[in-house]
Amino acid sequence: MRSLRERRDALRDDIVTGNPAAVDRQHSLGKLTARERLGLLLDEDSFVEIDMYRRHRAHGLGLEERRPHTDGVVTGSGTIHGRRVFVYAQDFTIFGGSLGEAHALKIQKVMDLAVSTGNPFIGLIDSGGARIQEGVLSLNGYGGIFQRNVQASGVIPQISVVLGPCAGGAAYSTALADFTFMVRDTAQLYLTGPDVVEAVSGERVTHAELGGAQVHARRSGIATFVHDDEESCLEDVRYLVSMLPANNMEPPPRGPSRDASRDSRPRLAEIVPADPKQPYDIREVIAEIVDDGEFLELHEAWARNVVCALARVDGEVVGLVANQPMVLAGVLDVDASQKAARFVRFCDAFNIPLVTLVDVPGFLPGTGQEHAGVIRHGAKLLYAYCEATVPRIQVILRKAYGGAYIVMDSRSIGTDLSLAWPSNEIAVMGAEGAVNVVYRKELAAAGDPARRRAELIDTYRGELAHPYFSAERGLVDDVIDPADTRSAVARGLAMLRDKRGPVVRRKHGNVPL
């Protein structure tokens, strides 16, 4: 037995240590090894490895002569802040982290365990893609992973962390995940690489230009978070997990109460100008409403005219959706609608209450938006809110015009509690635009059109767009002092905590994808 133990320990040491030359190459690229990454992600000494001794069984093209243990991926389970997660980390030092049959079966096994135990699933990706030498078995392996991604969607949180190349079919798994992290300069995410692009189209492009972190953070919207280094990236993954429930049957982890129901924040009235045309940073408003001013913003560089964030209010995790007047005056457009819709659906799937901060002049007009399908994309956000059964609170800060008011979780589409500041103006359109349309002929015939227009604007505001018009008709539940916003939201969340949504008997709806 002593001899057997020594042989076992020696083998395990060799597997864990890896090929020193390959490890050095990995470090020279500015990347950590798979095991170093797991050490940063998981609580100390919590990792339990599964399938350490697994090796591929492929033959041909020299593969039978190279059968390293782990087959290029480290899989298992550990804890983050004491809470169970399942994880895989691709090992670029073995076959370039490429995916073959055994590699895929290992990932599929931990995915099945994550779903069956009801715990989050995290993938640390650093792979050249499908292992060409194994042919269709590699593609079959990817298909099995994608099938599990879809089956796990809305059941357990799924997080993809791109720390190196992620090419070909592997890219779809990141798109299917709930959150995608990327590291600037080292992460690359695309279906076809620069060589193939040049061969097919003649276009020359670098890896970074084609699928770097900045591209997916600013243009495609695939990257939820981007970091400068792996250490800060993995630390933020830990922070994100601390705010998520383990699965769709559990509430998010609750923090200590902060007595928010009696917390006055007079600075809110100073942040937001009374003039509806004056911009301000909605993130300053969010910081005043949430605990300790801390929130985790998603897709910070994409569709910046809407802000989506996770935070806590009086210890309770909430999802915030807010128009951003600093960018395009806070209008909704194609990208903003998609961004907010997916976030709303995630929060609803995982029992996270929604708080919507409204200051929206409408949808972005123009042929570009109309031809890009702004109607269809705006309908995604409308569908997401209408379908959501979690507690929903709407706060109207200033303007809320037209269809954008409806889409931003209005009372008419099912918000549970609608609050408004005294500066609110809810209408089909702004007073100036409304007067120009309704009184076009009268203004054309007036002796002093400017004076008459000013009079009509005042009349319109006084009759149809004054701060209490919607409250008088039950479309706003309360007009609150801006300083009381944090306390009003906290009280609303407490009131709605035991909300139960109706069960609708149908297979599924048809989202306007």
Side-chain angles (χ1 to χ4, degrees):
M1 183 56 69
R2 184 185 306 113
S3 175
L4 291 172
R5 286 179 179 141
E6 290 174 353
R7 288 173 58 188
R8 171 188 173 276
D9 292 345
L11 177 58
R12 290 177 71 89
D13 288 344
D14 286 343
I15 294 171
V16 170
T17 301
N19 183 327
V23 170
D24 289 342
R25 283 196 299 273
Q26 180 81 347
H27 288 160
S28 71
L29 296 172
K31 300 192 296 183
L32 301 175
T33 65
R35 296 182 186 278
E36 289 170 340
R37 290 163 175 164
L38 290 171
L40 290 173
L41 175 66
L42 303 173
D43 296 339
E44 188 174 358
D45 296 328
S46 71
F47 182 56
V48 178
E49 188 166 351
I50 298 171
D51 274 351
M52 172 186 279
Y53 304 109
R54 191 107 184 208
R55 300 196 290 180
H56 73 75
R57 53 190 178 188
H59 293 272
L61 301 178
L63 274 182
E64 65 274 11
E65 299 173 4
R66 295 183 60 203
R67 299 182 63 230
H69 293 93
T70 73
D71 201 51
V73 63
V74 182
T75 57
S77 176
T79 60
I80 292 178
H81 300 301
R83 302 172 66 225
R84 178 67 51 193
V85 298
F86 285 82
V87 64
Y88 75 86
Q90 291 180 312
D91 187 349
F92 198 78
T93 69
I94 297 176
F95 293 134
S98 61
L99 184 139
E101 180 187 32
H103 186 121
L105 289 172
K106 289 182 64 174
I107 294 175
Q108 292 169 18
K109 180 183 287 188
V110 290
M111 293 181 80
D112 289 341
L113 288 170
V115 172
S116 64
T117 60
N119 288 295
F121 177 71
I122 304 171
L124 307 185
I125 301 170
D126 189 1
S127 168
R131 193 173 301 165
I132 298 173
Q133 300 93 320
E134 294 198 32
V136 71
L137 292 177
S138 295
L139 302 180
N140 184 65
Y142 274 130
I145 293 171
F146 302 155
Q147 170 74 2
R148 286 166 172 81
N149 283 134
V150 173
Q151 294 301 316
S153 182
V155 178
I156 57 171
Q158 299 181 78
I159 301 171
S160 288
V161 188
V162 185
L163 302 167
C166 179
Y172 285 116
S173 193
T174 63
L176 291 169
D178 298 307
F179 303 94
T180 296
F181 289 76
M182 296 185 72
V183 173
R184 193 175 283 108
D185 298 332
T186 57
Q188 302 156 11
L189 177 64
Y190 41 65
L191 289 176
T192 52
D195 294 340
V196 176
V197 170
E198 183 177 359
V200 173
S201 67
E203 180 184 5
R204 291 187 177 182
V205 64
T206 66
H207 290 280
E209 292 169 341
L210 182 62
Q214 289 300 101
V215 169
H216 291 302
R218 296 179 181 274
R219 301 188 66 177
S220 75
I222 293 174
T224 321
F225 306 100
V226 172
H227 292 270
D228 292 328
D229 54 70
E230 295 189 18
E231 291 82 0
S232 62
C233 177
L234 295 172
E235 182 58 37
D236 247 17
V237 175
R238 288 175 58 86
Y239 179 52
L240 173 62
V241 170
S242 74
M243 302 187 75
L244 302 179
N247 56 68
N248 65 329
M249 302 300 289
E250 296 184 6
R254 186 171 177 81
S257 174
R258 301 301 182 87
D259 201 22
S261 61
R262 294 186 290 181
D263 193 346
S264 178
R265 296 298 177 98
R267 185 170 177 269
L268 282 168
E270 301 171 5
I271 295 171
V272 181
D275 183 351
K277 295 181 180 179
Q278 290 295 314
Y280 61 93
D281 191 344
I282 194 65
R283 292 173 296 186
E284 293 185 38
V285 174
I286 292 173
E288 289 294 318
I289 294 173
V290 303
D291 294 352
D292 302 320
E294 293 183 359
F295 58 94
L296 183 62
E297 184 176 352
L298 286 67
H299 298 288
E300 184 177 352
W302 178 59
R304 296 186 301 118
N305 41 322
V306 68
V307 172
C308 298
L310 290 168
R312 284 187 169 88
V313 175
D314 207 20
E316 183 172 357
V317 175
V318 299
L320 294 120
V321 179
N323 304 112
Q324 174 56 290
M326 289 286 288
V327 181
L328 297 175
V331 297
L332 291 175
D333 60 5
V334 166
D335 288 346
S337 298
Q338 292 185 78
K339 172 180 171 178
R342 191 151 198 260
F343 180 67
V344 168
R345 287 176 66 83
F346 173 82
C347 290
D348 185 51
F350 290 101
N351 311 311
I352 299 173
L354 288 160
V355 177
T356 304
L357 306 179
V358 184
D359 190 349
V360 62
F363 279 90
L364 183 63
T367 55
Q369 285 291 304
E370 295 291 350
H371 295 172
V374 69
I375 296 172
R376 174 166 49 87
H377 294 293
K380 293 178 184 177
L381 181 54
L382 179 62
Y383 195 106
Y385 270 124
C386 287
E387 193 178 46
T389 60
V390 293
R392 292 153 55 185
I393 298 176
Q394 178 197 49
V395 184
I396 302 169
L397 310 185
R398 296 193 306 187
K399 56 192 174 296
Y401 296 156
Y405 154 68
I406 301 172
V407 169
M408 290 295 289
D409 204 19
S410 64
R411 166 65 73 183
S412 60
I413 65 170
T415 197
D416 299 299
L417 183 63
S418 179
L419 307 173
W421 287 10
S423 51
N424 83 82
E425 185 178 313
I426 307 170
V428 175
M429 62 179 68
E432 293 86 351
V435 165
N436 289 338
V437 172
V438 175
Y439 299 103
R440 177 173 54 86
K441 292 182 180 180
E442 181 179 337
L443 289 171
D448 187 349
R451 179 179 177 182
R452 183 56 181 155
R453 180 181 289 106
E455 293 172 351
L456 291 171
I457 288 173
D458 288 341
T459 301
Y460 179 89
R461 284 184 174 144
E463 293 183 4
L464 295 175
H466 63 80
Y468 298 92
F469 184 86
S470 296
E472 291 171 357
R473 288 152 181 82
L475 301 178
V476 165
D477 298 299
D478 194 9
V479 178
I480 62 172
D481 187 321
D484 295 333
T485 305
R486 172 169 161 81
S487 59
V489 169
R491 289 193 300 269
L493 290 170
M495 178 180 72
L496 298 169
R497 190 163 296 144
D498 295 326
K499 178 186 175 184
R500 296 291 181 268
V503 177
V504 179
R505 289 190 170 274
R506 61 179 175 180
K507 187 173 182 180
H508 56 70
N510 188 16
V511 184
L513 298 173

